[in-house]
Amino acid sequence: MPAVFEEHLGALTDGIADLCALVGESLRQGTVSLSTADLALAEEVLGRHDYITYECHRLEASAFTILALPAPAGGQHAVVNLLKSVADLQRMGVLALHIARIVRRRHPAHAVPTELRGPFAAMALHAVRLAGDASTAVQRRDRHRGAELAARDDAVDALHRRVFSVVLEQQWPHGTAAAVDATLLSRYYERFADHAVQIACRAGSRPPRSQSRRRRT
Amino acid sequence: MPAVFEEHLGALTDGIADLCALVGESLRQGTVSLSTADLALAEEVLGRHDYITYECHRLEASAFTILALPAPAGGQHAVVNLLKSVADLQRMGVLALHIARIVRRRHPAHAVPTELRGPFAAMALHAVRLAGDASTAVQRRDRHRGAELAARDDAVDALHRRVFSVVLEQQWPHGTAAAVDATLLSRYYERFADHAVQIACRAGSRPPRSQSRRRRT
């Protein structure tokens, strides 16, 4: 019976790793559309959101099905952790969506003034990589990546503070609307990165025996 | 054996309902401190946060213990839903903390200009009530409150948009820092209310037979 459990858990793990990569891709495209005021690309991110929501619901339903199966020791803990990661992925999808919406709202103007495009691009590069690394950690059930990712999340937090310091400079010449957009965007990236770290921190939280049997390298 | 499960589930449910009320109280006090620039009250909110975090960890550990018990049909589903609500409560606690931090950062000045104190007080009154209603829904395992709360959450969203419309008015005279604070604060209230609704929507998701046996009135 545990073999059935393992099989279903493997499929759930794969689905979550794939979705983690996909929301990372949404954030990447959303950021490109933000950097270039590219409405078509923003629309692509917006159009994908229904699929992300659907996948979250599908994975959640699948997790509840697995919970009803006879499980090895610690197996339920692993499923619940994956369920929590689905909730993180749902938020990450919404955050990428929010970024694309700001691009659409400001189009054809740029939502982000020139001097903030660097910090936002850097935040996005970190956040997209964090999503990729979280995906890998989930896939490999690697419990050791969480701490590493948390350290890198500090770089995102530092950029988040940098955005605020630019916006709050006396000579900010772009008006209140641009300040509001920058505040929200910075918060979206910061939250996205944090969710990715949470996912990675939960990866591999399986009982040692079962884990060594299933770990992929 | 299901009696043991029910007993533990009842204690977990009570703990979550209590914590839901407590984070509502933190938001209420945080908002009073925001309305009056009351540093001592903000410090009280800040000081309580460690306890909220501790309670979240305790409830989460308790949920995992319950998951290992023999469960009636649908019992695990109920525990997992409570676990997800603990994650919501953790975020709600952090959001109340963020509000108190803004009060501390701007003290002795007011973080919120006069014309926005009304909308923020209204958002807080809705959000605190949503937390109270979510607490009651959890306690009573009442699955029918979710939709009602979601409808009331719309009022918070409308106020959220109103804050933005005030901040984005041409004649906003309070500068960028106040705009950034208002943007963040509005977002904190909106997210807090949304988490409360999520908790209420999950309440009472238990198998009908078991539910009717346990429901409190």
Side-chain angles (χ1 to χ4, degrees):
Chain A
M1 268 311 209
V4 175
F5 182 90
E6 288 286 352
E7 192 183 318
H8 281 79
L9 188 65
L12 177 64
T13 302
D14 289 350
I16 287 172
D18 289 349
L19 190 56
C20 195
L22 188 66
V23 297
E25 175 61 9
S26 272
L27 190 78
R28 194 191 63 77
Q29 290 187 328
T31 310
V32 173
S33 76
L34 185 71
S35 309
T36 57
D38 182 337
L39 184 61
L41 200 53
E43 295 287 0
E44 198 170 320
V45 174
L46 295 163
R48 182 185 296 131
H49 188 66
D50 280 351
Y51 173 74
I52 291 172
T53 305
Y54 166 82
E55 269 298 285
C56 286
H57 292 160
R58 188 184 70 78
L59 292 167
E60 190 172 273
S62 153
F64 277 117
T65 305
I66 300 173
L67 271 181
L69 297 172
Q76 289 178 326
H77 196 128
V79 177
V80 170
N81 276 335
L82 289 172
L83 257 170
K84 290 163 101 177
S85 294
V86 173
D88 284 309
L89 289 169
Q90 202 151 18
R91 287 304 308 159
M92 290 162 83
V94 170
L95 293 165
L97 181 78
H98 283 336
I99 290 169
R101 277 185 179 150
I102 286 183
V103 174
R104 185 169 63 182
R105 194 179 310 138
R106 300 299 170 210
H107 184 82
H110 279 264
V112 173
T114 322
E115 66 266 43
L116 280 181
R117 282 181 214 160
F120 277 125
M123 278 184 117
L125 286 164
H126 282 301
V128 169
R129 171 136 182 229
L130 283 168
D133 287 352
S135 171
T136 305
V138 169
Q139 186 81 65
R140 296 188 182 166
R141 305 183 184 188
D142 181 352
R143 69 172 71 196
H144 304 294
R145 299 299 288 277
E148 182 193 326
L149 266 66
R152 278 204 280 124
D153 187 38
D154 292 345
V156 177
D157 293 341
L159 286 160
H160 186 42
R161 288 191 294 274
R162 188 164 141 203
V163 167
F164 280 87
S165 72
V166 171
V167 171
L168 296 175
E169 271 171 10
Q170 288 291 335
Q171 62 270 37
W172 172 260
H174 306 290
T176 314
V180 168
D181 280 350
T183 302
L184 289 173
L185 286 165
S186 191
R187 177 100 183 133
Y188 298 152
Y189 284 108
E190 182 271 324
R191 297 300 312 138
F192 186 100
D194 193 69
H195 284 294
V197 172
Q198 294 301 316
I199 291 172
C201 284
R202 271 184 230 113
S205 64
R206 310 194 60 226
R209 198 172 57 97
S210 184
Q211 194 172 62
S212 62
R213 191 155 43 89
R214 285 279 304 175
R215 182 174 289 174
R216 303 163 200 186
T217 48
Chain B
M1 269 311 211
V4 176
F5 183 90
E6 288 286 351
E7 192 183 317
H8 282 79
L9 188 65
L12 177 64
T13 303
D14 290 349
I16 287 172
D18 289 348
L19 190 57
C20 195
L22 188 67
V23 297
E25 175 61 9
S26 272
L27 190 76
R28 193 192 64 76
Q29 290 187 330
T31 310
V32 173
S33 76
L34 186 70
S35 308
T36 56
D38 182 338
L39 184 61
L41 199 53
E43 296 286 1
E44 199 171 317
V45 174
L46 295 163
R48 184 185 295 130
H49 188 67
D50 280 351
Y51 174 73
I52 291 173
T53 305
Y54 166 81
E55 269 299 283
C56 286
H57 292 160
R58 189 185 69 77
L59 292 167
E60 189 172 272
S62 154
F64 277 118
T65 305
I66 299 173
L67 270 182
L69 296 172
Q76 289 179 327
H77 197 127
V79 178
V80 171
N81 276 335
L82 289 172
L83 257 171
K84 289 163 101 177
S85 293
V86 173
D88 284 309
L89 289 168
Q90 202 152 18
R91 287 304 307 158
M92 290 161 83
V94 170
L95 293 165
L97 181 79
H98 283 336
I99 289 169
R101 278 186 179 152
I102 286 183
V103 175
R104 184 169 64 182
R105 196 179 308 139
R106 300 298 170 210
H107 184 82
H110 279 264
V112 173
T114 322
E115 68 264 43
L116 279 182
R117 280 179 216 163
F120 277 125
M123 278 183 115
L125 285 164
H126 282 301
V128 169
R129 169 134 184 232
L130 283 168
D133 287 352
S135 171
T136 307
V138 168
Q139 185 82 65
R140 297 187 182 167
R141 304 184 186 188
D142 182 353
R143 70 172 72 195
H144 304 294
R145 300 298 289 275
E148 183 194 325
L149 267 66
R152 278 204 282 124
D153 186 40
D154 292 345
V156 177
D157 292 341
L159 285 159
H160 185 45
R161 288 191 295 273
R162 188 163 141 204
V163 168
F164 280 88
S165 72
V166 172
V167 172
L168 296 175
E169 271 171 8
Q170 287 292 335
Q171 62 269 35
W172 173 259
H174 307 289
T176 312
V180 167
D181 280 349
T183 301
L184 289 173
L185 286 165
S186 192
R187 176 103 184 131
Y188 298 152
Y189 284 107
E190 181 272 323
R191 295 303 310 140
F192 185 100
D194 192 70
H195 284 295
V197 173
Q198 295 300 315
I199 290 172
C201 284
R202 270 184 231 114
S205 63
R206 309 193 60 227
R209 196 171 59 97
S210 184
Q211 195 170 61
S212 61
R213 189 156 45 89
R214 284 278 304 175
R215 182 175 291 173
R216 303 163 200 187
T217 49

